[in-house]
Amino acid sequence: MNELSRAQIRDLMAQVLKNQDKELPADDAAQLREIGFRSLDFSELALRVEDETGEELNFDAPGLRRIATVGDVLDFLVELQHQ
Amino acid sequence: MTVATSRHLTPASPEPAGVDNRLVVGGAALTWRSLPTPTLPDPVAVLAHSAVHALTAARQHAVHGTELLLSTASRVDAAMRTELLAAGFTVSVLDDDGVHPSAPARPRAAEPGRLWLLTSGSTGRPKRVGHTLDTLTTVRADQPDRTWLCPYAPGTYAWWQVVTLSLTQPGQHLVVVEPDELDDWPTVAATQGVDAASGTPTFWRRTLYRDAEALARVPLRQITLGGEPVDQAILDQLREVFPTARISWIYASSEVGASIVVHDGRAGFPVDWLDRETPGRPTLSVRDDELVVTSPYHGAGLAGPIRTGDRVQVLDGRVLITGRLDSDEINVGGSKVSAGLVRGVLTGHPAVAWARVTGRRAPVLGRMVVAEVVLAAADPSGADTGVPDEAALVRWCADRLPEHAVPRRIRVLTDIPVKETLKSDV
């Protein structure tokens, strides 16, 4: 299975923000609210991961969780690839 | 196989008024009158082998009133064939060798004068809709002499529109292009002096995309668009190539007939046309974002207000038809987005020749707006108009649309997809 590493997902996340002239901080603890990464951006990132791997993510699999930091996003998408 | 001619039959009605109009098919110059007159079973479903056979069946119907469903072999699959046989039609291939009939499962008496259309089936199985030559004839006022291009698949509503015009009005000539000539139609049309052409927006976009210079050499005075949502960008692009032509768009379907005709060069129609009742004319209304038409040109068995399944949106005093209700609306996290309006923004970009906008499954929001585009060929003058990348197109949309309506993923295709109906399923 084609799987993206945490670092590769981080690159895609930086791309999503760069297209809006925003920057992704190096710190995984950075708050999404502060860097302006919102649900539309999160959805776009998920689609980019799908397009890179050629596999559909199973969005329904994991339960609800709190996604507040850059690290939360990366963890979540790494985990989704295993579902 | 049966081959027969109708020389010994007395025509049910006199030859149609346009019988001496010129027909150009596959480069050969004919008239309606010069077409062969095979005897057809009645009722019959004719699968025309090529354009000339379709015209032959239409003329035969005009003279004899044979109950006719006209289509092509590629549009009638095995299941539809069985359905037609069960409904009492003799299914007949019509080619240069004559009529090749398959007998119906349950023969029945014919309904004289009845014409059947198969809907395009873009929303499921094709349905049969009953018409007559009269209900299909929507242009009745005298027209200036024109030589019309007919690029449509035989037997479709749009095909019948052009064909009935030529059958019923002297001076309305036809140049028919076969599917394999379609990409090169401007050359054929320029040679034959075509000055009027009717096509889908996809047809016009493909033509502009492939060879706008060849198109500019066609002496068009009348340009008609229909069959798909018509956006401002395609109207403007055609206006640029043909500054003095009349550019019209038509809203028509097998079910409700031709209901809206707009000549002012703008997308949509004026909002004050809504709910206006004029005897003999269709009445247009909007219910829950859906276009509703009450028309004297409805198909048989349809009466009163017909829900068209087409989604409309009122913007700046114009009623825009944005697409099919079941596919136009994209729900992005509870916010409704019209795919047609987003498509209009994309095709408004100078470097975009064609666009398709859809909803794609996404986390958190349920769906997200995504798009596919075909970019226009590089400017032949060598001017650097810049080829936009995905990010540039996203920014273009972001400047013009609410945030949730901006397509975040935009894929670039190399050619404009098109189906036999000349539509793109956009």
Side-chain angles (χ1 to χ4, degrees), chain B residues 286-302:
Chain B
V286 177
R287 256 181 245 162
D288 306 325
D289 295 339
E290 182 175 9
L291 179 67
V292 176
V293 177
T294 312
S295 170
Y297 304 113
H298 282 339
L302 297 166

Side-chain angles (χ1 to χ4, degrees), chain B residues 218-417:
Chain B
V218 183
L220 290 177
R221 291 188 288 175
Q222 169 69 51
I223 293 172
T224 306
L225 300 94
E228 289 176 308
V230 177
D231 59 37
Q232 192 61 49
I234 186 65
L235 293 170
D236 291 346
Q237 286 161 19
L238 288 167
R239 172 61 67 214
E240 209 179 309
V241 180
F242 298 101
T244 59
R246 186 169 80 156
I247 301 179
S248 315
W249 71 263
I250 292 183
Y251 177 88
S253 72
S254 310
E255 285 90 349
V256 301
S259 306
I260 306 168
V261 185
V262 178
H263 300 297
D264 68 3
R266 294 179 59 197
F269 59 88
V271 73
D272 60 11
W273 289 11
L274 286 177
D275 303 312
R276 204 167 62 179
E277 288 180 31
T278 311
R281 303 283 293 270
T283 304
L284 313 170
S285 326
V286 177
R287 256 181 245 162
D288 306 325
D289 295 339
E290 182 175 9
L291 179 67
V292 176
V293 177
T294 312
S295 170
Y297 304 113
H298 282 339
L302 297 166
I306 303 294
R307 302 192 80 116
T308 60
D310 283 314
R311 187 162 188 260
V312 295
Q313 195 155 347
V314 179
L315 210 65
D316 299 332
R318 301 287 282 194
V319 182
L320 304 174
I321 300 163
T322 53
R324 299 295 297 167
L325 205 62
D326 54 10
S327 59
D328 185 62
E329 185 175 293
I330 305 170
N331 188 331
V332 181
S335 300
K336 288 177 185 173
V337 176
S338 160
L341 288 190
V342 179
R343 188 171 62 238
V345 167
L346 276 168
T347 53
H349 189 290
V352 173
W354 173 90
R356 167 166 34 215
V357 173
T358 52
R360 180 168 153 190
R361 200 173 153 269
V364 189
L365 302 166
R367 297 198 96 61
M368 187 156 212
V369 181
V370 296
E372 292 171 318
V373 298
V374 175
L375 298 176
D379 190 330
S381 70
D384 181 20
T385 48
V387 177
D389 59 7
E390 182 182 31
L393 290 172
V394 171
R395 269 197 300 279
W396 168 272
C397 292
D399 289 343
R400 291 163 177 80
L401 289 167
E403 198 177 20
H404 59 272
V406 175
R408 292 293 191 100
R409 300 257 55 194
I410 302 179
R411 203 154 69 94
V412 177
L413 308 182
T414 53
D415 204 1
I416 300 175

Side-chain angles (χ1 to χ4, degrees), chain B residues 200-232:
Chain B
T200 58
T202 298
F203 165 84
W204 289 109
R205 278 190 215 291
R206 267 174 75 93
T207 304
L208 285 162
Y209 173 70
R210 282 178 176 272
D211 197 346
E213 280 180 27
L215 174 62
R217 286 193 287 272
V218 183
L220 290 177
R221 291 188 288 175
Q222 169 69 51
I223 293 172
T224 306
L225 300 94
E228 289 176 308
V230 177
D231 59 37
Q232 192 61 49

